[in-house]
Amino acid sequence: MKKLVLAASVVLLAACASPQKEQINFAPTAATSAAKIVEGKSMSISSQDVRTAQYVALLDNGRANITPVHARQNVRIEIENALVNQFSAEGYQVTVNSKNTLKVEIQEALVSVKHTVMENDMNATVILELTAENSKGKLVKTYTGTAKRSGLMSASNEEIETVLNDTVNLVLKEIANDTELQDYMKERF
C-alpha cells in the first residue's frame, strides 16, 4: 500500500512539474456607443464555435516545428459577452427567452506566426457570422477581419495577444457600425 501511495505521489508531482503549454489572454472589447439606438427592445444572444481546432495561434519557426497556442479564456464566451455588452449599450435588453434572437457563429479566430530569431510575420483572421432572426424574417451576415504585422526578433505572446484582440475588436466595431444590421433589427425586433 505504501508503494502505491508513493508511486501515485511521484506521478502527481511529475505532472505538476511538467512545463505548461503556452497560452495567451483573449480579451475582446465591446464597441460601445454613447447614444442608444433603440429603447425597450429585447433579444437573446446565443453563440457557437465551429472552428476545426480550438487554438488561437500557430507558431512556425521554420524548422518543421509548428506549435499551437491556446487562449486562457473561452473564445466563444468572451465574444458572446462582448456582443452582449455592445448591444446592451445600444439599448437592447438582452434576455434569455426572447422571440428576437441573434446567433453568433465563430468560424475562425487565428493568428499564424512565422518567426525566426531575427524577425516575425503575423497574419490574423477572424470570421464571425451573425444571424438576426424572429417570426418576421432572418438576416445572415458574415464579418471578416484581417491583420498583418511584422517585427524584429521572435514574436512574444504579448504581441500575438495584441494582434488577435485588435482583429476581433475591428470585427466588433464593424458589427456596431453596420447600418444594414441596425436597420433590420430596429424594424423587425
Side-chain angles (χ1 to χ4, degrees):
M1 184 68 176
K2 283 184 178 182
K3 288 182 181 179
L4 182 61
V5 170
L6 181 62
S9 298
V10 168
V11 168
L12 185 60
L13 287 172
C16 291
S18 66
Q20 298 295 316
K21 289 185 178 182
E22 288 190 59
Q23 293 183 332
I24 62 171
N25 282 318
F26 180 67
T29 306
T32 56
S33 83
K36 292 191 180 222
I37 297 171
V38 297
E39 194 66 49
K41 294 189 182 239
S42 70
M43 68 181 213
S44 60
I45 295 181
S46 63
S47 59
Q48 183 179 11
D49 191 346
V50 297
R51 296 177 298 149
T52 55
Q54 297 305 302
Y55 49 79
V56 292
L58 281 175
L59 305 177
D60 181 358
N61 67 6
R63 293 184 294 267
N65 185 15
I66 298 175
T67 307
V69 178
H70 295 269
R72 286 188 184 102
Q73 299 81 2
N74 184 304
V75 172
R76 181 190 64 80
I77 291 172
E78 292 297 318
I79 289 176
E80 183 178 320
N81 288 341
L83 285 170
V84 166
N85 292 338
Q86 190 164 307
F87 284 107
S88 294
E90 291 177 1
Y92 288 95
Q93 297 286 340
V94 180
T95 63
V96 178
N97 293 325
S98 175
K99 296 175 196 163
N100 306 314
T101 62
L102 186 71
K103 296 175 186 160
V104 183
E105 186 176 275
I106 301 158
Q107 296 178 346
E108 190 168 349
L110 181 66
V111 179
S112 297
V113 182
K114 292 186 188 252
H115 67 108
T116 64
V117 176
M118 299 305 285
E119 64 182 358
N120 69 72
D121 289 312
M122 291 186 271
N123 293 310
T125 304
V126 175
I127 302 172
L128 301 180
E129 182 182 271
L130 262 63
T131 305
E133 184 174 15
N134 64 10
S135 60
K136 297 176 186 172
K138 174 169 128 173
L139 174 70
V140 180
K141 294 209 62 178
T142 302
Y143 300 91
T144 303
T146 58
K148 294 181 186 292
R149 183 173 171 186
S150 298
L152 298 175
M153 311 302 278
S154 293
S156 69
N157 282 353
E158 290 78 23
E159 291 170 321
I160 297 168
E161 282 174 22
T162 300
V163 169
L164 178 63
N165 289 323
D166 287 352
T167 308
V168 172
N169 292 342
L170 285 173
V171 172
L172 293 174
K173 279 183 189 168
E174 185 181 346
I175 292 168
N177 296 327
D178 184 353
T179 54
E180 182 184 8
L181 178 66
Q182 288 175 2
D183 292 343
Y184 182 88
M185 291 172 67
K186 275 194 270 189
E187 290 172 14
R188 304 197 182 198
F189 276 17

